[in-house]
Amino acid sequence: MTHRENTAMETILWEDLEPGIVRLTLNRPERLNAITPAWIDEMHGALDRLGADQDIRVVILTGAGRGFCSGFDLAQDGDTTFDAEVAKPRASFEAISRLGALFLRLTRLRQPVIAAINGPAVGAGVALALVADIRLAATAANFQIVMPRLGLAATECGMSWLFPRLVGLSRAFELMLTGRRFDAAEAMEIGLLSRLLPPQDLLGAATEMARMIAANAPFAVWMTKETVRFNLETPGLEAAMAWEGRTQVMTGAQGDVFEAVQAFREKRPPNFS
């Protein structure tokens, strides 16, 4: 039976879908879930809660309504957020750094993050999708790296590092420099997505994938995520293999491998620590 507990915040909806699986829904559908300072604060709070709860195994991130995330809100409450104060270098850098720190924290969570991209992802909304560990999208989704059209570099929140690694340098340059919109089918073709689904199937597929991950040994899942992320920045194969060896020793010492073998012999699901 599905367990569900909703925790409403101003800009985010927290849902305990079932034991070990949490869905975070960006909850400003009237603005296509655009980012605000309040959203940044609430997301930091949600990540604090996720980091403190070892029973949470997987996080699904999606958007309410017809959008995933339309980037930073340029007209919050009818007033531009790029006023004279925010335009000052120090204030602007502090705001960008706080948003960037949030996205970096998502990559460092022990729990895998599945982005269920239900609709448009624009600007920082694309960066939000990029920092997820797995990206699924509905056929209604589309993407646009719009910053150069606003007089800003398309280099926010880790995008210049992540995007070329996911889709290749030439495609990344084209989409970042032109600012053209591309649909979910193209995103799938260039390797940005792992699955493309009809809109009505998106959340179900994300939940089923979360169940598959949650059925595995939690420490092994955490160490897999950490090792893959770490080795993206290692200088070469030898260093990567050394880190892998360290990780295998750590996960083996946890004892879950013995439970997995015993469960296989007894033809039952494993009871991981």
Side-chain angles (χ1 to χ4, degrees), residues 215-226:
N216 294 327
F219 187 58
V221 169
W222 175 15
M223 288 297 99
T224 298
K225 173 174 175 173
E226 181 180 271

Side-chain angles (χ1 to χ4, degrees), residues 4-18:
R4 183 184 296 259
E5 176 185 335
N6 295 348
T7 302
M9 293 174 272
E10 181 181 346
T11 63
I12 301 166
L13 180 65
W14 174 299
E15 298 172 272
D16 292 299
L17 297 182
E18 53 192 69

Side-chain angles (χ1 to χ4, degrees), residues 20-215:
I21 301 175
V22 166
R23 184 165 70 207
L24 298 181
T25 303
L26 282 62
N27 196 30
R28 298 186 69 229
E30 73 284 356
R31 297 290 299 161
L32 292 180
N33 304 309
I35 295 170
T36 64
W39 179 86
I40 296 172
D41 290 341
E42 289 190 356
M43 274 295 291
H44 273 292
L47 295 188
D48 288 341
R49 182 175 170 185
L50 289 168
D53 192 338
Q54 295 188 26
D55 291 331
I56 299 172
R57 308 280 290 281
V58 189
V59 180
I60 299 169
L61 184 64
T62 193
R66 66 182 186 87
F68 177 68
C69 177
S70 59
F72 202 83
D73 198 336
L74 302 183
Q76 185 183 359
D77 299 325
D79 296 319
T80 178
T81 56
F82 291 98
D83 55 20
E85 184 63 30
V86 173
K88 294 179 180 178
R90 177 174 174 173
S92 179
F93 184 73
E94 287 175 349
I96 290 169
S97 296
R98 183 155 174 77
L99 181 60
L102 173 63
F103 286 15
L104 187 60
R105 288 186 70 188
L106 281 163
T107 70
R108 291 177 173 173
L109 276 179
R110 68 164 60 89
Q111 301 95 342
V113 177
I114 301 172
I117 305 164
N118 55 302
V122 180
V126 177
L128 181 61
L130 293 179
V131 297
D133 302 299
I134 300 169
R135 283 165 296 281
L136 315 180
T139 52
N142 57 73
F143 303 82
Q144 188 173 20
I145 302 170
V146 73
M147 287 79 81
R149 297 188 176 195
L150 301 173
L152 298 169
T155 57
E156 62 181 340
C157 301
M159 186 178 296
S160 64
W161 193 88
L162 288 164
F163 201 44
R165 283 168 168 77
L166 288 167
V167 305
L169 187 60
S170 181
R171 283 174 170 146
F173 266 136
E174 185 235 324
L175 294 169
M176 294 171 78
L177 294 175
T178 64
R180 71 171 176 85
R181 183 179 289 109
F182 57 104
D183 62 19
E186 183 175 356
M188 183 70 186
E189 179 186 352
I190 65 177
L192 184 60
L193 307 173
S194 62
R195 292 187 66 185
L196 183 60
L197 298 138
Q200 67 272 17
D201 296 339
L202 177 65
L203 293 181
T207 303
E208 181 58 32
M209 185 174 290
R211 289 190 189 114
M212 294 174 67
I213 295 170

